């Protein structure tokens, strides 16, 4: 399976699934959504950097 498709599905899992209720709950740390976005962006950068070589 293509790595970009896997990353898309991972992003979909994080931001368009019942997991949103976990990281968007009032009791969670305010930095958690930004950390999840940073994780996804970092993974995309890693995959595209390795693909260019």
């Amino acid at each position: 399976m293509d790595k970009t498709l896997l990353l898309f599905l991972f992003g979909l899992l994080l931001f368009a699934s019942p997991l949103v209720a976990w990281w968007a709950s009032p009791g969670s740390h305010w930095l958690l959504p930004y950390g999840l976005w940073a994780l996804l962006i970092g993974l995309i950068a890693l995959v595209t950097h390795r693909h260019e070589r």
Side-chain angles (χ1 to χ4, degrees):
M1 192 177 263
D2 192 20
K3 291 179 183 178
T4 54
L5 181 61
L6 287 175
L7 284 173
F8 173 74
L9 292 175
F10 180 66
L12 197 63
L13 175 73
L14 284 178
F15 299 110
S17 71
L19 284 177
V20 173
W22 168 70
W23 61 258
S25 67
S28 67
H29 196 269
W30 66 270
L31 195 58
L32 187 59
Y34 299 107
L36 292 174
W37 272 111
L39 173 70
L40 186 62
I41 291 169
L43 287 172
I44 291 169
L46 182 68
V47 167
T48 57
H49 180 69
R50 287 188 179 187
H51 183 67
E52 290 175 356
R53 287 185 173 192

